[in-house]
Amino acid sequence: MTEGKGAERLHITRRRLLRSALLLGPAAYLAACNQTGKAPEPTPSRLLNATPGQLTAVPAASDLGAGKDLRFPIGIIDENNRPITDATVQLAFFKVTGPSTAELRGRADTTYRETPGLEGRGVYVTRADFDEAGDWGVVAQVAQPGRDPREVRVAFKVKPKSSTPSIGDPVPHSHTLTANTRDEVERICSARPGDDYHHLSIDQALDQGKPLVVLFATPGFCTSRTCGPSLDVLDTLHSMYPANANYIHVEVLKDGHPPQDGGAWQYVPAVDEWGLPSEPWLFLIDDTGRLVDKFEASITAGEIQPVLAKLVGA
Amino acid sequence: MQGLLIDVESHELLHADEVTVRDNSGVVRTFRVSPEVADNSVTPFSASHLRLHMVTAQPVVVEYQETNDGLLAMRIRDAAA
């Protein structure tokens, strides 16, 4: 993501115009001005490109903090509100650098990753460097078979530091619930049947000095059907390298179920300790207890396996 | 309103602050999100669950009220794909 750094700049008169032009395109910006007499406030929602007849880009990372080689998943929706799954998508990342400028910080190819269990649904994933916090924009060039390439733009924010552990940082030594018998597991886990990844607490696993794979997910209560498949992904990874790492599933909901009788939602303490803004998340940790990589939401074994293979020395 | 979530803003796992939905004709609306959306006993939609719908492009139905502060989502539920 270093190609072209600083080589391209966008020059416009005001920050508002910059963000609108970068992310909506000049025509949409002018249309908004004509209707209201002034540009709308540039909230992230209003900056989304969702004009009839156009593509929509949906950045899928909820916890981007400044850093290098970070996972950047993005969904592309067509003019009929259907996800595009057959395109070649190239991304150009811009940093908003001032009131009237944005700077190209890099370009990247993507790989389409279909969400397990959801045919025809998925995201385009790349790795990128976001070397400073603040307002960013991405321009996606979308080339589908038999069609002229199209372009879509969208804004996103990069925080100074992610709320989840940063790559290279030590992970929290959380004490998570453990269970061994099927009955015990099903008291703390929403999966049915309960899975086999509750024998160790995170802190116990870290003390073993062995690579660790941790999945935070609520497989039993996810009607989007992405948490259940994420448990399948953990199964797949475990089957590939059963002895080279420890594998833990942390159920997100306290007691493994949603509130009953109108009570409040309760999460296990590790959710706060790991700073999770969403779920599911899968974390890869090395034998010194430092984070190697992290994967949010649309989790696939194909994307994780090469990283895990390197981690376990396979 | 029925459509795809194209933005979910939240500061926590449970309650979303704001969602943006695009319908099949391209109309886009942004809603503030009532706590009732996550606390609904029949169809609870946490911020995390909303985000999953967004990432996987699964449509939702938003029931909302028009208020002096804009549109307020009161209930969100799955829509037939």
Side-chain angles (χ1 to χ4, degrees):
Chain A
M1 249 253 343
T2 56
E3 179 191 348
K5 183 173 182 177
E8 291 184 23
R9 292 173 186 274
L10 300 179
H11 291 281
I12 37 187
T13 56
R14 292 183 305 164
R15 178 188 179 88
R16 179 180 294 168
L17 177 59
L18 167 98
R19 295 196 62 182
S20 296
L22 172 64
L23 303 160
L24 282 171
Y29 172 76
L30 292 174
C33 287
N34 290 340
Q35 288 169 0
T36 64
K38 63 176 183 178
E41 280 300 307
T43 67
S45 297
R46 291 196 180 106
L47 290 168
L48 292 162
N49 182 350
T51 307
Q54 295 188 3
L55 303 181
T56 302
V58 182
S62 69
D63 188 38
L64 275 179
K68 291 185 179 301
D69 193 30
L70 301 178
R71 184 176 187 257
F72 186 88
I74 189 167
I76 307 291
I77 306 298
D78 74 9
E79 57 272 33
N80 298 312
N81 250 8
R82 292 181 303 222
I84 291 177
T85 62
D86 62 349
T88 299
V89 176
Q90 296 177 312
L91 304 178
F93 294 98
F94 289 84
K95 175 71 180 69
V96 178
T97 53
S100 62
T101 56
E103 186 177 277
L104 179 69
R105 292 293 176 87
R107 299 180 187 277
D109 295 329
T110 65
T111 300
Y112 177 71
R113 301 284 184 187
E114 184 167 87
T115 303
L118 286 173
E119 188 177 353
R121 302 281 195 277
V123 290
Y124 295 86
V125 181
T126 193
R127 312 290 299 202
D129 296 345
F130 301 107
D131 49 4
E132 58 182 301
D135 294 319
W136 287 70
V138 60
V139 178
Q141 297 280 350
V142 180
Q144 286 181 274
R147 298 194 63 157
D148 290 336
R150 290 179 287 174
E151 186 177 289
V152 60
R153 308 166 179 211
V154 70
F156 61 96
K157 283 192 179 293
V158 174
K159 300 183 283 191
K161 189 170 177 57
S162 61
S163 65
T164 54
S166 298
I167 291 173
D169 282 357
V171 300
H173 281 240
S174 296
H175 182 71
T176 49
L177 296 175
T178 58
N180 290 302
T181 68
R182 188 64 64 196
D183 284 347
E184 287 175 350
V185 168
E186 294 189 351
R187 280 198 286 272
I188 64 169
C189 175
S190 65
R192 292 294 180 272
D195 59 79
D196 294 326
Y197 308 108
H198 299 279
H199 301 300
L200 283 174
S201 171
I202 289 176
D203 57 346
Q204 293 169 339
L206 290 170
D207 287 345
Q208 290 189 3
K210 190 174 179 180
L212 173 61
V213 182
V214 178
L215 173 70
F216 286 87
T218 308
F221 298 99
C222 184
T223 55
S224 284
R225 294 166 288 168
T226 58
C227 288
S230 68
L231 192 55
D232 295 337
V233 169
L234 191 65
D235 271 336
T236 300
L237 297 171
H238 177 254
S239 69
M240 291 174 172
Y241 311 108
N244 310 56
N246 284 314
Y247 297 81
I248 293 176
H249 166 216
V250 179
E251 177 67 39
V252 171
L253 293 174
K254 185 175 180 295
D255 301 325
H257 57 73
Q260 296 172 333
D261 303 324
W265 287 76
Q266 291 186 299
Y267 298 101
V268 298
V271 167
D272 284 339
E273 292 162 5
W274 285 63
L276 301 188
S278 62
E279 54 130 344
W281 279 86
L282 188 141
F283 296 92
L284 300 182
I285 298 122
D286 70 13
D287 56 9
T288 70
R290 292 183 181 275
L291 186 70
V292 171
D293 213 339
K294 51 185 175 180
F295 303 85
E296 178 187 12
S298 186
I299 294 171
T300 64
E303 184 182 0
I304 298 167
Q305 183 272 332
V307 188
L308 180 58
K310 188 176 176 184
L311 175 63
V312 300
Chain B
M1 179 183 191
Q2 178 171 328
L4 294 182
L5 289 158
I6 58 174
D7 189 31
V8 175
E9 298 201 20
S10 67
H11 294 88
E12 55 160 307
L13 206 60
L14 184 56
H15 294 108
D17 302 320
E18 198 172 88
V19 296
T20 301
V21 179
R22 172 182 167 144
D23 74 11
N24 288 347
S25 63
V27 172
V28 175
R29 287 181 176 152
T30 295
F31 304 86
R32 289 181 299 111
V33 179
S34 165
E36 293 178 30
V37 168
D39 298 335
N40 186 291
S41 60
V42 180
T43 59
F45 257 64
S46 66
S48 183
H49 188 63
L50 288 164
R51 179 163 286 281
L52 284 174
H53 267 261
M54 182 185 78
V55 172
T56 56
Q58 295 190 82
V60 296
V61 173
V62 180
E63 298 175 9
Y64 63 94
Q65 296 177 352
E66 295 185 11
T67 74
N68 291 335
D69 293 327
L71 305 177
L72 178 64
M74 302 300 296
R75 184 184 177 198
I76 301 178
R77 55 186 167 84
D78 291 305

